[in-house]
Each structure stands twice: as structure tokens, then as C-alpha cells.
Amino acid sequence: MIRNGHDLEPGEQLNADVCIVGAGAAGITLALELSRQAPDLSVLLLDGGTQPGYNPDPPPREVSPGQFLYEGEMEGDMNTIRPRFLTQTRSRSYGGSTNCWGGWCRPLDAVDFRGHRGYRGWPITREELIPFYERAQGFCSLDRFEYDDPQYWVDRAARSGRRLGTIPDLPDDSVRTVCFQGIRDTRWSFFQDYHDELDAAPNVRVVVNASLIAIEAAGVRPGDPVDRVNRLRLRALDPDTGKPGVEFSATAGRFVLAMGGIETVRAMLLSPTANQPGGIGNNADLLGRFFNVHPVVSDAALVRFGRGTGWPAAVNAFYSSETRFYEEGQGAPRAEHHQEVQPYEGHAVNEKRFAGPQADPAAYTRVWATLTPTADALDRTGAGNFRLILRGGSTSTKVDVNWEQVSDPENRVVLGDRVDAFGLRVVDLRWRINPADQQTYAIALSLCEAKLRRAGYLDEGGSFQPLFDISDRGSWHENLPNPGDHHMGGTRMDDDPGQGVVDSDARVHGTHNLYVSSCSVWPSGGWANPTLTIVAMASRLASHLLAGTGAGHTLRIDEATLPDRAPAAEEAA
Ligand SMILES: Cc1cc2nc3c(=O)[nH]c(=O)nc-3n(C[C@H](O)[C@H](O)[C@H](O)COP(=O)(O)OP(=O)(O)OC[C@H]3O[C@@H](n4cnc5c(N)ncnc54)[C@H](O)[C@@H]3O)c2cc1C
């Protein structure tokens, strides 16, 4: 059942076993996992946005009225390169930013789980995530979990009569070719794909237009240093006036914050407790720190291939563009994809409508190849991970560089001075491209040049010409370097409360029953688009929440469950 928060009774209290705040990729995955695996568990899924237009009978669609609540303040480089970063790179709507995403998916590499510059990496390995990546493939309507063997896709395409391209022979082992998979056009946003299932699920209640305004938590007994979240306070926007409307609340056994990498941090900073006066989860002053994105410089370099050594057209095709191929016997999907872009200061929301019957989503696969360094090469250079995007013709190509930022505690989300419509302090994003990022960028280009030179592509008059000097801030302007649309760090994961905001189960340190499901928990971010990993991690969290609940699946907190996290009385004293 889906309801609008403004239609609830003022002061109404909703209750469930698990309450998830935020219905983007993470929140929807978690709700689906819990709902499917534990039909006797009650799930409350709350979202601060409203529903975008919905097939088959869309209302006049506009950007979610709550989008302006994403406005905030920024300090540092973001003001130069993406002044509207806070409103342009996320969508406050049911389905979250999957309503405007590109749908490109790739898991993190094993090397992405390492730490940087003395800061610790992930407390879990990629290997442990594999079963959840496999599940994430399903949630994202993707094909086989195969990203590192491009030959698999070349052969697969060939079997269905398509030429995917040729993997070039690039001697030595510093750079390798890897693949992305794209969400099929027929499966566009998590909202579109899972609206009906969540609406019909008897154990799930969805409330849109339900903005979290406060997390209320306290120790269970006097002197208990570990907090239990008792209640969330929520507020709707009045659809007629756009001003604050009905206020209501939610109680649950377990609460999960899945509001994206920035709002999750903000909500926690806005919720101090007696035990955690700097905000829930912030006793080590780590909340909001290590925020990072995936910067990209387009046209970083121009490659002119030497006479007679040109980049063969088939190789060019392999790197330059997405390839979609249909399985044998399957035609192209009949559905017509209609993409409507509505600006909110440049923010876009995609909408699709089907003119015909919906195509079989299993009919085709989108694949795209890119170059990335090997783990050995990264170890040798100490750089962040990166990818080289080659696009162009057979005589010349442009190179884009998309890279991982190394850990920087000064890149952070804090609270600003202004307040939003609910009277809550807005976010203040302090972010810069630091010297280590500039080094990663330089290493990426030099590795690219060396690789092409060794392979002979620059012989006989070829050249490699850098086009952008990242160390010259004076040459930066809007969208260059582009910070991308991904918001990581901020609630980093570490089992030591002095080193992280959440533990390796994603439970917020200092709390019994509060979890985070977002790429804000990633200690390092790699360069791959994050959603596949966000979905895998949400699936992993579902498995943690369900483990040990026994037949009844009750996730209600009761006194008997508390001592496992609360220190003994004498220790607390
Ligand atoms: C233009 C664009 C293109 C992208 N392309 C790709 C791509 O190709 N591949 C890829 O992997 N990723 C891509 N992304 C990123 C991807 O969309 C995000 O990684 C993903 O949506 C994050 O999922 P999430 O659930 O963590 O957060 P979100 O999707 O941001 O969902 C958060 C939800 O929380 C709700 N919310 C926020 N604040 C509150 C509050 N106070 N109270 C209640 N609810 C609240 C929001 O309404 C929203 O529904 C793209 C993003 C953009 C903007």
C-alpha cells in the first residue's frame, strides 16, 4: 500500500518491525528483500519525495515538490565546477536518483577495498560480497555477473550474430580491459520496476511525502551509554502550498537510514542525543568526513595514432560506445522509450512510457568496455583507482579520465547556517580536489600514454597530447573536472568505533538498532558507478537483519536483546 504523508492524521504513529527511510536503490532493495524473504515481517518504507509519473497512466509529471529540500551550501572546489551539485546530482522522489540515472553497472574491484594514506579500508572483502552482487544483478535486471572477462561478451555477442568489437593487444600488464553492463531500457528506474510489487506486498507500507526531521534516541536505562532509537519524527509538505504540512511519527524494532550519501549524514548530524551530543554516530568526530565522488575529466588528452598503426575500427567500436545485442531468436524490444527531461535548475528526471506491450527484459544486454589499471600497477604508483575512456575515430581519439579520490577527512558534509522549509539546518558540503587526486590524474594519463606507446600505436608520427592541466585551478570551470553524480564516504564502515561511524554490519556505533544503507558507508570508493554495490550491500544488510530472527522474524527490540551491545554495568560506570 502506498500513501501520501499529508493524508495521514496529524500526530499519527506508524509502527513496523523494520522502518526504512529513503526509497531509492538501497531502500527499495532492502524492502523487497525483507518483504520477499520474511512475509510475516512488517516493513515501513518512508520517502521524502513523491511519486514521479507512472506508467501506464502518468499524471502530468513534474519534478518532485520536495526537490528544493536538497538545496544547501558548499565550500571549496565544488562551487567552481558544479555550483548546483546538491540539487542536480540527486532526485528527491520515490525511486530516488534511479529516476534520473544512466543505469550503468559494475562491481568494485578487489583492490577498491583497500585503505588509502594510512586510513583503513573496508572491513569486508569483495569475495564476501559476491553472493550479494549476484542478487544485485537480479534487482538491476542485468545479465550474468561477468565484468572482467571481456572475451565472454565478445563471444556471447558473436553467438547471437553481433560483432561487439575487438579487444586490442596491449602488451604488459599495467592496464586491462573490463566491462560495464547497462540496465536495459525496458527496466529504467527502481520506482518503475518495483512500484507494483511494493504496492501489493501485504507486509509493506510505503509512505511518500514523508521527510525525516528527527531521530529520537536515548539509552534504555539511566547511564546506558548505548542509544536505542525510539521514534522518528516525520513531516509532509502540503501539496497545495508547498509549505510544511502534517507531522507524524514512526516506531520500529530496527531503523535503516537509506537517504543517499548526503542526506543520511545530515539527518544524523541533526539528531544529537545525550550520549552523542555531536549527532548520532558522531562520537569519534567522523560523521560526514571522507566524503568523496568520482571526478571525471572529459577530453583529458588527444591521441593521434601513427601512420599505419591506427586504432583499428573494431577496437575503436569496442571502447567508444555501448553495444547492445539480442539473444538469438529475440527481436528488438517493441516498447517505445520516451524520455522526458524536466529541469529543476538543470536537474533532470527521466520518464518512460510504453507505446506498445512491454518488451521481454531478458531480450538484450548492453555492454561497454573501458581500460583500468591492474592491482599491481596501482600498488606501484600508490594512486587512486581510475579508468581511461577512449572515444573517437580510427586516426585519433580523445581520452577521458574518471578516478577514485583517496581518503581525505577534510572533504566532509557538515551543517550549514541556513535552514530549510522544516526549520532544519541545510547541508554544507566542503569538498576539494586535493594534490593526491591531481597525482592520480597525472598517473592515469602517463600510464595511458606509456601503454599506447609500447603497443606501437604512437609510432610513425603518432602523438599523445594532454589537453587539460588539472593543477591549474584557474582553468577550471563549471563541469570541468566534472564531479559526477555519486556521493560516497561520510559514514565510513569500521568495527572500531574510533575509526568508523558504522560497524561491518552497517549498524551505527553507539546505537542498538540504527543502520545505514548507502554508499556513505564505503571506506573507499573505487571508480565504478556505485549502484550495483549499493544494491548488493542492501541485500547483505537484509540478510544480517534476518539472521537469527528465528521463525517469527520479529525485529522488535526488547530488553532481552540489549545486553549483547550494552557494556556491563560496572564497565559503563
Ligand atoms: C544523473 C545521474 C546519473 C546516474 N547514473 C548512474 C549510473 O549510470 N550508474 C550508477 O550506478 N549510478 C548512477 N547514478 C547514481 C545513482 O542514481 C545512485 O547511486 C543511487 O540512486 C543511490 O541510491 P540510494 O538509494 O543510496 O540513494 P537515492 O537514490 O538518492 O535515494 C535516496 C532516497 O531518500 C529520500 N530522502 C532523502 N532525504 C530524505 C528525508 N529527509 N526523509 C525521507 N526521505 C528522504 C529521497 O527522496 C530518495 O528517494 C546516477 C545519478 C545521477 C543523478
Side-chain angles (χ1 to χ4, degrees):
M1 184 181 36
I2 301 178
R3 298 187 66 186
N4 188 306
H6 196 63
D7 297 334
L8 299 179
E9 291 298 321
E12 190 169 333
Q13 183 171 299
L14 308 169
N15 183 259
D17 291 317
V18 182
C19 173
I20 304 163
V21 193
I28 286 179
T29 301
L30 188 55
L32 289 167
E33 286 281 37
L34 295 176
S35 148
R36 290 174 187 175
Q37 293 184 48
D40 48 358
L41 193 83
S42 58
V43 178
L44 186 57
L45 178 60
L46 306 168
D47 198 90
T50 49
Q51 307 193 49
Y54 179 63
N55 177 58
D57 186 21
R61 213 202 50 64
E62 54 192 24
V63 169
S64 177
Q67 186 68 19
F68 73 93
L69 291 165
Y70 273 163
E71 288 170 0
E73 298 165 5
M74 296 195 300
E75 291 166 48
D77 291 337
M78 201 63 91
N79 279 318
T80 309
I81 64 174
R82 194 89 189 250
R84 298 189 199 88
F85 179 81
L86 293 172
T87 49
Q88 283 182 337
T89 64
R90 46 196 187 145
S91 172
R92 195 172 175 121
S93 55
Y94 183 21
S97 297
T98 69
N99 286 312
C100 60
W101 75 325
W104 286 102
C105 294
R106 184 177 157 75
L108 294 175
D109 289 328
V111 71
D112 294 330
F113 290 69
R114 76 204 186 290
H116 297 279
R117 301 207 296 184
Y119 297 108
R120 300 203 314 204
W122 292 58
I124 55 175
T125 62
R126 184 182 192 269
E127 212 49 37
E128 288 170 63
L129 262 189
I130 296 289
F132 302 104
Y133 271 132
E134 304 266 7
R135 295 183 73 77
Q137 292 288 111
F139 282 112
C140 296
S141 309
L142 298 168
D143 209 296
R144 176 173 142 143
F145 184 70
E146 177 53 73
Y147 290 90
D148 294 328
D149 178 10
Q151 192 62 47
Y152 168 82
W153 294 108
V154 171
D155 296 345
R156 179 78 186 268
R159 282 202 297 278
S160 57
R162 289 274 300 189
R163 190 170 165 77
L164 189 56
T166 304
I167 309 166
D169 183 20
L170 293 172
D172 92 39
D173 59 357
S174 59
V175 182
R176 65 197 177 112
T177 298
V178 296
C179 289
F180 286 85
Q181 283 178 49
I183 297 270
R184 299 175 178 101
D185 288 354
T186 47
R187 311 282 292 183
W188 190 255
S189 92
F190 274 56
F191 161 71
Q192 295 275 2
D193 289 346
Y194 298 114
H195 173 279
D196 288 356
E197 179 176 345
L198 288 172
D199 193 18
N203 59 339
V204 179
R205 262 178 308 166
V206 180
V207 184
V208 296
N209 191 13
S211 283
L212 176 64
I213 56 172
I215 306 166
E216 293 183 349
V220 176
R221 311 169 197 90
D224 186 345
V226 180
D227 284 331
R228 177 178 76 174
V229 175
N230 298 311
R231 193 171 79 120
L232 303 183
R233 283 179 43 218
L234 301 136
R235 191 130 195 214
L237 285 175
D238 184 320
D240 297 326
T241 64
K243 298 216 159 68
V246 169
E247 184 167 340
F248 52 100
S249 65
T251 59
R254 301 280 194 275
F255 296 86
V256 181
L257 304 179
M259 297 177 287
I262 299 174
E263 278 319 277
T264 296
V265 173
R266 178 178 172 232
M268 292 167 73
L269 286 169
L270 283 169
S271 301
T273 73
N275 282 325
Q276 306 182 73
I280 201 157
N282 198 22
N283 275 358
D285 186 27
L286 291 170
L287 181 59
R289 292 190 185 272
F290 301 98
F291 179 84
N292 65 99
V293 297
H294 288 144
V296 57
V297 169
S298 302
D299 299 348
L302 172 66
V303 180
R304 288 204 177 82
F305 296 114
R307 284 181 299 282
T309 59
W311 205 230
V315 172
N316 184 46
F318 194 49
Y319 289 118
S320 286
S321 56
E322 135 196 2
T323 301
R324 72 185 62 191
F325 59 90
Y326 309 99
E327 291 303 330
E328 206 169 350
Q330 298 269 16
R334 281 171 297 156
E336 281 179 20
H337 178 220
H338 171 78
Q339 184 171 322
E340 203 173 272
V341 178
Q342 297 268 341
Y344 173 87
E345 292 187 341
H347 164 90
V349 173
N350 294 319
E351 182 186 353
K352 70 173 178 186
R353 292 190 188 124
F354 293 103
Q358 184 158 348
D360 174 4
Y364 70 103
T365 298
R366 292 161 73 198
V367 181
W368 192 18
T370 194
L371 281 172
T372 189
T374 59
D376 282 353
L378 281 180
D379 277 349
R380 280 198 303 276
T381 61
N385 205 351
F386 58 84
R387 68 169 163 149
L388 302 162
I389 306 164
L390 304 180
R391 53 192 173 80
S394 55
T395 56
S396 67
T397 187
K398 294 262 182 70
V399 181
D400 303 346
V401 181
N402 186 192
W403 73 92
E404 172 188 47
Q405 294 195 276
V406 298
S407 302
D408 180 352
E410 297 312 316
N411 277 351
R412 61 190 296 207
V413 174
V414 296
L415 296 176
D417 297 326
R418 289 188 356 238
V419 293
D420 70 9
F422 296 124
L424 303 172
R425 288 171 69 190
V426 296
V427 86
D428 178 5
L429 180 65
R430 299 181 180 169
W431 179 89
R432 63 183 177 143
I433 285 184
N434 66 31
D437 294 318
Q438 297 179 14
Q439 202 186 358
T440 297
Y441 176 80
I443 288 169
L445 280 189
S446 70
L447 211 61
C448 183
E449 178 178 4
K451 188 84 193 175
L452 291 172
R453 199 171 289 290
R454 272 201 297 276
Y457 285 112
L458 303 182
D459 291 351
E460 295 182 51
S463 64
F464 187 95
Q465 183 191 353
L467 298 176
F468 179 70
D469 180 2
I470 199 165
S471 62
D472 174 17
R473 277 190 157 68
S475 68
W476 295 9
H477 53 79
E478 192 166 348
N479 273 335
L480 201 63
N482 185 327
D485 307 302
H486 313 146
H487 316 129
M488 294 150 296
T491 64
R492 58 194 276 120
M493 180 179 262
D494 197 297
D495 280 320
D496 177 352
Q499 305 279 335
V501 175
V502 302
D503 66 17
S504 51
D505 292 325
R507 174 155 40 181
V508 176
H509 284 298
T511 71
H512 287 294
N513 59 340
L514 181 65
Y515 295 80
V516 172
S517 189
S518 160
C519 54
S520 63
V521 306
W522 301 5
S524 49
W527 56 262
N529 305 48
T531 307
L532 188 70
T533 306
I534 291 172
V535 170
M537 290 288 283
S539 174
R540 177 177 179 270
L541 176 56
S543 130
H544 166 75
L545 291 175
L546 291 174
T549 52
H553 286 306
T554 298
L555 286 176
R556 220 162 286 283
I557 281 276
D558 58 46
E559 300 296 314
T561 67
L562 292 177
D564 68 314
R565 294 265 303 172
E570 51 282 16
E571 198 186 319

